[in-house]
Amino acid sequence: MEQKSTITYADFCNLNGIDPGENMHCLEEARFPEGDFSGNFTVVIYSSKGICPISIDGRQFTIRRKCISVWRPGQVINFSPVPELKYRLLLISGELKQYLNVGNQFLTLFVTEEYPVIRVTSAYDDALRLFFDSISIVARFNDNPYKRDCELSILRALFFSTSYYVFQSLRFKNGNILKFASEFPGSGNEVVIRFIRLIEIHSTTCRHLAFYAKELDYNPKYLSALVKRQTGYSGQALIDQYSVLTAMAKLSYGHRSIKEISDEMNFQSQSDFGKFFKRMTGVSPINYRKDRFKGL
C-alpha cells in the first residue's frame, strides 16, 4: 500500500518557490507531492479549461472547466494535473474558516466538505475569474501596507458569493426559501439553541421530533410549541427543512445515485425518500437532479 506523505504549509510553499511567511498565495499553476499527501493548509482551485481526475479522501472526482474545488487541512489528496488543465490555485495557511468568521454549519462549508469539487454555471464562472484576477493583482503589491486586509476582503467576498450561488442554486418550493436551522435568527432560549445544534448534527439521518425531544428530555408537543414561538416554525418543520436542503445539496453536487442518497439519509425506501422530497420541493428527486445543471 502506498504511504501518505504529510507536508506543512511551509513545505508546500518551498516546493513551489514562494514565501512561506505569507498566509495566502495565488498561483497560476503548482507542483504537488507525488502520490497521496495531506497538509495543514487549505487549497481552493478554480479551473477554466481541460479535465483531470483527483482523489480526495479516497473518493474519485473530476476537475474540469467551470469547477471550483476546496481541499481542507487533513484531507488525503492525490492530484497530478495534466498539461491541458488550466487552473488557478489559492493557497491558504490553516483552516479557511479562521479567516471568514463563520461557523462549521454554514451552508457552503457543508457543501464543500461533502462535495469538494463543485460545477458552476457560466454566469458564476465569470464571477470566479474576476475574484481570482483581483486576488492576483493585490498579491503583486508587496509594499502595500493594506495587502493582507485587501486579500482577506476578497477572500470573504469570494466565499460569501459562492455561498449565495450555492444557496440560490437549490430549488425552493413555490418560491418559499427553505432555511438551514442555523440560519434562523439567534434565540436567547437555551433549549431552542440546543435543539438547533442537534438538528445540525442528526437531521441528515433522523427526522423524527420524538428523537430530539428525548435527547432534550422534553415532551415533543411542548418542545415544538417552544421552538415555534422562537422561530415561527414548528420543531418538525425545522427538521424537515434542514433534511431537504441536505438532500438538495447531495443531488446537486454529489455523484451518488438517488438510491444511495436515500440510504445515506436513512429513509426506509427510495420511494419514501421521493415522496418526502416532492412534498418539500414540489418536484421529484430525479427531475430536480435533471434540471439542476440545465444550461451549463
Side-chain angles (χ1 to χ4, degrees), residues 2-5 32-38 76-80:
E2 189 173 8
Q3 295 295 312
K4 175 192 73 174
S5 63
F32 299 92
E34 295 184 4
D36 292 346
F37 70 92
S38 178
V76 179
I77 309 296
N78 192 312
F79 183 53
S80 299

Side-chain angles (χ1 to χ4, degrees), residues 72 138 287:
R72 296 163 175 273
V138 169
N287 285 335

Side-chain angles (χ1 to χ4, degrees), residues 195 209-214 217-229 233-236:
F195 175 66
L209 180 63
F211 166 81
Y212 299 93
K214 184 177 179 180
D217 197 22
Y218 271 79
N219 176 278
K221 288 185 178 180
Y222 178 78
L223 175 62
S224 185
L226 180 64
V227 171
K228 189 166 186 176
R229 283 200 300 270
Y233 291 82
S234 70
Q236 188 61 55

Side-chain angles (χ1 to χ4, degrees), residues 12 18 35-36 49 89 91 250 285:
F12 194 89
I18 53 180
D36 292 346
K49 185 178 179 181
L89 180 148
L91 177 66
K250 288 177 179 290

